[in-house]
Amino acid sequence: MSWPSVIQVLEEKENLGEVLNGDRLANALYELEFAVNKTGAALCQQKLSSGEIANFRHAITYNFYYQMYYDDLPLWAFIGKVEEGNWTDDGMGPKYFLFTHVQFDALYNGNQVIEIHAFSDPSHAIDITEDVDVKVDFTYSVSWKRTPRPYKNRMDRYSAASLLPILQKTHWFSFVNSIVIVILLMGLLTVLFMRHLKNDIRKWSIGDEDEEKEVGWKYIHGDVFRCPTNLPLFSAILGSGTQLLSMVLILFVLAFLGVFHPYSRGTLSSSILISYILTTAIAGYSSASFCNQYAETGWERSALLAGILFLGPFLLTAFFLNILASYFRVTTALPLGTMLLIFLIFTLVAIPLLILGGVVGHRYKSHLQSFPITKKCPREIPSLSWYRKTPAQMFLVGILPFSAIALELHNLCATMWGYKIYTSPGILFVTFVILAILTSMLSVGLTYLQLAAEDHEWWWRSVLRGGSTAIFMFSYCTYFYLKSNMSGILQTAFFFGYSACMCYAFFLMLGTVSFQASLLFVGRIYHAVKSE
């Protein structure tokens, strides 16, 4: 057997999405010629030092595996095994074996590769239990077979990973659980609105002074549309939340169109970046338009805050994690050129779109039409019971939607931080819609109870109520981390840093959904009162 005289590994040029993912690809020494079978082909002969042996042993202990791509098809295999039943001569521990042979099995149809697998052969392994220098001969074999499967279906086997019976049962249980909660809340709110709200409007229209005492929410019709405190920040939250909602919807559309394939390197990361940049115009428009409903000036500040409300904390987190990754010399550290490119994209594209959206929102603002005129002096708010205050309502609106999405959140975390393949965008979309519906329904119900107690300061509370689900999501992320095998400052910082950014994005999105639902409800009931 002849061994290659020179071992040369060349790094591949990555696209922007691959760089953001931390993928740093290099060509392997395996020569897999199309439809050419090989048996026991020599790969290389390598002398491993005691330090390298220790590193391999550590990787085998934690079930490390390698991943490669052939014709954009992913393949992976474990690098070694541990035999717990066999003990070393000194009786101090198990034996560690490093696989030295890889078997490639490929299927093809015509001149196209349909499927490929890599198997580490346990019969070709060397003992690396001791910290001694070892000379290793690495070999491989290739087997090609024909298949009638068409080229367009070659990614189906990766999608089927999320359709296993046990995973289907989990998805269906989560779906049924969410539907039951939605139906119960719809029934509760229907009884609330059909009985109490209609009776309130009827009593108000009759004008019976004795009965009017029972209807507290109509006394604050002159204060309920009063300008919220800290209007620029409030407008920025709505603008940023609307932008993130638009971005999520764009990603779902791309998923349904089949843009995201399992193990499509960097496609999701680049799509998130591009869609976020393009939707900055929506953030500027939404914030400026809402701000101008109450003030002719200050929309510039609202649009600016909308542009940095999410992006600012995210960039600070990413910058800190990038420094940490550079210190540990891991591939997730972004090169300087990539950071400059992203900076230029935001400067030349995102900022002009944000300004353009703000200008359009300022000139073509939407008005709160047919709503009661606000009084000059705000009405005094009576003392509230504990269950009518913000913390109690945040807990209620947060825990119910979270209970409906907990199982899918686990699958999402397992996909982001584990080895799980999530290829069910339809289920994820339905879960997201249910989350938005539950948040809207609970926000509307609690807004009515708040107004019935003659508390007209519902603006900020509706945002905090809706966004409170993100607090429970982050708490679950913490639980997921504690139950995982992740450890060390690098993994801990990356997990909590990006998990916090994800939950913060959900806070802005759900807070916006909650407020818009409450605004629509409040506008409808007071418009009905005015009509009566």
Side-chain angles (χ1 to χ4, degrees):
M1 179 181 296
S2 60
W3 301 97
S5 57
V6 178
I7 299 177
Q8 185 177 9
V9 178
L10 302 177
E11 293 186 356
E12 298 289 335
K13 186 176 182 180
E14 301 88 5
N15 57 41
L16 179 59
E18 291 174 336
V19 175
L20 294 176
N21 273 358
D23 295 333
R24 303 294 185 268
L25 302 180
N27 73 306
L29 300 178
Y30 301 100
E31 296 181 358
L32 274 64
E33 302 175 22
F34 183 78
V36 176
N37 295 327
K38 294 183 179 181
T39 302
L43 178 67
C44 68
Q45 191 177 59
Q46 189 75 18
K47 185 176 181 180
L48 302 179
S49 64
S50 58
E52 292 172 331
I53 290 293
N55 290 334
F56 272 117
R57 199 164 53 245
H58 176 269
I60 294 172
T61 302
Y62 289 95
N63 295 321
F64 279 32
Y65 65 92
Y66 58 86
Q67 179 173 326
M68 297 184 289
Y69 293 89
Y70 185 79
D71 194 31
D72 288 332
L73 292 175
L75 58 153
W76 48 89
F78 289 100
I79 64 175
K81 65 176 180 177
V82 182
E83 292 189 356
E84 299 287 351
N86 296 326
W87 301 87
T88 56
D89 295 336
D90 55 7
M92 296 301 292
K95 281 192 175 183
Y96 297 85
F97 294 92
L98 175 66
F99 297 137
T100 61
H101 184 83
V102 179
Q103 172 67 42
F104 295 97
D105 291 339
L107 302 178
Y108 69 98
N109 187 352
N111 61 349
Q112 295 173 322
V113 180
I114 305 301
E115 186 175 324
I116 188 168
H117 302 268
F119 302 96
S120 298
D121 192 348
S123 61
H124 295 75
I126 63 169
D127 189 350
I128 58 170
T129 306
E130 302 294 335
D131 288 333
V132 294
D133 295 349
V134 178
K135 182 178 290 187
V136 185
D137 298 335
F138 291 98
T139 59
Y140 66 99
S141 299
V142 186
S143 175
W144 291 86
K145 294 181 180 180
R146 293 182 181 272
T147 179
R149 189 187 311 167
Y151 178 80
K152 64 179 181 180
N153 296 335
R154 70 174 190 160
M155 301 301 293
D156 289 350
R157 78 182 188 97
Y158 304 103
S159 301
S162 64
L163 299 178
L164 297 176
I166 184 64
L167 296 179
Q168 280 187 319
K169 291 181 180 179
T170 302
H171 288 310
W172 277 111
F173 179 80
S174 175
F175 180 75
V176 172
N177 178 50
S178 304
I179 293 297
V180 169
I181 294 177
V182 170
I183 292 176
L184 291 176
L185 283 178
M186 287 183 64
L188 179 63
L189 292 179
T190 300
V191 172
L192 176 67
F193 294 151
M194 295 299 292
R195 295 184 58 182
H196 296 282
L197 191 56
K198 281 194 173 183
N199 289 338
D200 289 347
I201 296 177
R202 180 185 57 80
K203 293 174 184 179
W204 181 267
S205 62
I206 293 175
D208 192 334
E209 294 182 358
D210 293 333
E211 290 185 335
E212 283 180 11
K213 296 179 181 179
E214 301 177 4
V215 194
W217 60 270
K218 286 184 285 298
Y219 290 130
I220 59 174
H221 63 89
D223 298 290
V224 73
F225 294 104
R226 185 176 302 279
C227 176
T229 58
N230 204 341
L231 179 61
L233 178 59
F234 191 87
S235 303
I237 291 176
L238 299 183
S240 183
T242 305
Q243 177 192 5
L244 293 172
L245 282 170
S246 303
M247 183 190 75
V248 169
L249 292 178
I250 291 175
L251 294 177
F252 274 122
V253 171
L254 294 177
F256 291 137
L257 293 176
V259 175
F260 306 133
H261 295 289
Y263 297 103
S264 54
R265 303 187 303 274
T267 305
L268 180 59
S269 297
S270 57
S271 299
I272 291 175
L273 177 63
I274 294 173
S275 58
Y276 184 86
I277 291 174
L278 295 180
T279 53
T280 50
I282 297 177
Y285 173 83
S286 301
S287 58
S289 176
F290 184 85
C291 182
N292 277 359
Q293 293 177 4
Y294 290 98
E296 292 295 329
T297 60
W299 64 270
E300 301 92 341
R301 184 183 177 189
S302 297
L304 177 62
L305 284 175
I308 64 176
L309 193 61
F310 174 78
L311 186 62
F314 178 80
L315 289 181
L316 287 177
T317 303
F319 179 74
F320 168 75
L321 295 179
N322 197 68
I323 294 177
L324 197 62
S326 300
Y327 175 79
F328 283 96
R329 297 182 179 180
V330 296
T331 58
T332 50
L334 294 180
L336 180 60
T338 303
M339 291 189 291
L340 292 176
L341 176 61
I342 295 176
F343 175 79
L344 288 176
I345 292 175
F346 273 96
T347 303
L348 300 178
V349 181
I351 294 179
L353 286 177
L354 180 68
I355 296 174
L356 176 63
V359 172
V360 174
H362 170 65
R363 293 187 177 181
Y364 301 97
K365 58 184 178 181
S366 59
H367 296 274
L368 297 174
Q369 298 177 357
S370 304
F371 288 163
I373 300 175
T374 303
K375 294 180 180 180
K376 292 184 177 179
C377 298
R379 185 185 182 91
E380 183 179 356
I381 299 175
S383 179
L384 301 175
S385 303
W386 65 270
Y387 60 87
R388 293 182 183 268
K389 295 182 179 180
T390 303
Q393 294 190 354
M394 286 180 64
F395 178 83
L396 178 63
V397 180
I399 191 66
L400 287 179
F402 170 76
S403 64
I405 67 166
L407 291 177
E408 292 304 319
L409 178 61
H410 172 79
N411 293 331
L412 185 62
C413 289
T415 301
M416 294 175 59
W417 304 106
Y419 308 118
K420 188 178 179 63
I421 306 173
Y422 200 106
T423 56
S424 304
I427 296 178
L428 194 62
F429 176 74
V430 171
T431 304
F432 185 78
V433 171
I434 290 175
L435 176 62
I437 292 175
L438 287 174
T439 301
S440 302
M441 294 170 61
L442 288 168
S443 179
V444 167
L446 293 181
T447 297
Y448 172 73
L449 295 178
Q450 180 182 353
L451 298 179
E454 300 182 20
D455 182 2
H456 55 81
E457 295 180 350
W458 60 275
W459 302 79
W460 276 103
R461 192 175 296 181
S462 64
V463 173
L464 295 176
R465 281 194 301 250
S468 61
T469 303
I471 300 176
F472 289 90
M473 293 175 64
F474 186 76
S475 300
Y476 182 82
C477 290
T478 304
Y479 171 80
F480 182 88
Y481 173 83
L482 295 176
K483 290 296 183 178
S484 69
N485 293 326
M486 289 183 282
S487 61
I489 184 173
L490 183 65
Q491 289 184 328
T492 302
F494 267 80
F495 179 87
F496 284 103
Y498 285 123
S499 295
C501 290
M502 180 188 70
C503 295
Y504 178 49
F506 271 96
F507 176 87
L508 295 175
M509 288 189 291
L510 296 178
T512 301
V513 169
S514 175
F515 169 75
Q516 294 293 352
S518 296
L519 178 63
L520 180 63
F521 166 74
V522 172
R524 298 285 287 184
I525 63 172
Y526 282 98
H527 179 74
V529 169
K530 185 177 180 181
S531 299
E532 295 289 347

